[in-house]
Amino acid sequence: MFRACWAAPRRHGRTSWPSTAASGSEHPIPTSHPRSTQEKDMSISIIGAGNVGMALGSALTRRGESVVFGVPDPGKYRDAVSALGDRARVTTTAQAIDASDVVILAVPYAALPVIAQSVSDWQGKILVDATNPLAPGLNGLLVGTTTSGAEELAKLAKGARVVKAFNTTGAENMADSHYPDGVPMMPVCGDDADARQRVMALATLIGFDAVDLGPLMAARYLEPFAMTWIHLALKQGYGRQFAFGLLRRG
């Protein structure tokens, strides 16, 4: 089960992670800082079992975390989820939401209103928006400038602590974040500081340089930033095996 430190991850540099989780990745889990004295166990559900959902599930289970996938038709995905090992299981969307404190939305943007409003009160659950409001044909975004997909989600998901993360890079990087010359960054934003820090810890756990972007309105920048990766990957011929990093002096 995911153990989230209440202490804030560093804004600059990678956040360390306890060594108790086994890693199946090509690079070690950072372990240099001790745990906070205040910790809380959290379970993780992923709504959606497409490329992004399976990539995140694979990365988390390889590091010893248990993941519940929620989909409309669990039987359709049972074999794929079983391939992740004993730490992964699949059930209905409603059951997966009920099962966990952290719910990651890895579905098409159009599915968000139905999911958000399927729960009358999210009761403080952390709802991670890993989607982008993509226009048809990847020709830009459906919302932006004065709002964002994440902010619109927060209006609909009553009682949820919405955090934007895992939307600015491809599924391949979430499945395997290792690059020989640096650490890919993962920007994270949300209005609830505790929820934001916990999602940053998740990003660090799977090998990213978690970057604190502050309040949820920063999703207005993260969603267009995702389009930069998509444009380079799919329209400029870069392919999908690249990532963005944050360089620092000193």
Side-chain angles (χ1 to χ4, degrees), residues 181-249:
D181 297 322
V183 181
M185 75 170 186
M186 181 57 66
V188 179
C189 66
D191 289 337
D192 186 285
D194 173 69
R196 189 170 70 242
Q197 291 159 15
R198 294 181 188 212
V199 176
M200 288 177 67
L202 266 184
T204 301
L205 176 65
I206 63 174
F208 287 97
D209 179 4
V211 180
D212 189 344
L213 260 71
L216 191 63
M217 62 81 59
R220 301 175 193 182
Y221 316 134
L222 291 188
E223 290 167 1
F225 184 55
M227 286 301 304
T228 304
W229 191 94
I230 292 168
H231 182 74
L232 288 172
L234 303 182
K235 297 191 176 183
Q236 293 301 109
Y238 275 65
R240 304 180 66 91
Q241 300 301 323
F242 76 97
F244 299 124
L246 186 64
L247 304 182
R248 305 176 180 89
R249 285 194 175 97

Side-chain angles (χ1 to χ4, degrees), residues 114-132:
V114 172
I115 295 172
Q117 295 176 307
S118 70
V119 179
S120 59
D121 183 357
W122 286 81
Q123 299 183 328
K125 288 180 184 284
I126 297 173
L127 189 57
V128 183
D129 179 14
T131 76
N132 288 301

Side-chain angles (χ1 to χ4, degrees), residues 1-2 17-31 35 57-66 84 87 205-207:
M1 184 170 289
F2 176 57
W17 194 256
S19 59
T20 52
S23 173
S25 68
E26 299 177 31
H27 55 297
I29 299 170
T31 59
R35 290 181 180 178
S58 173
L60 290 164
T61 55
R62 289 202 316 271
R63 288 159 175 84
E65 303 304 322
S66 295
L84 298 181
R87 294 185 179 276
L205 176 65
I206 63 174

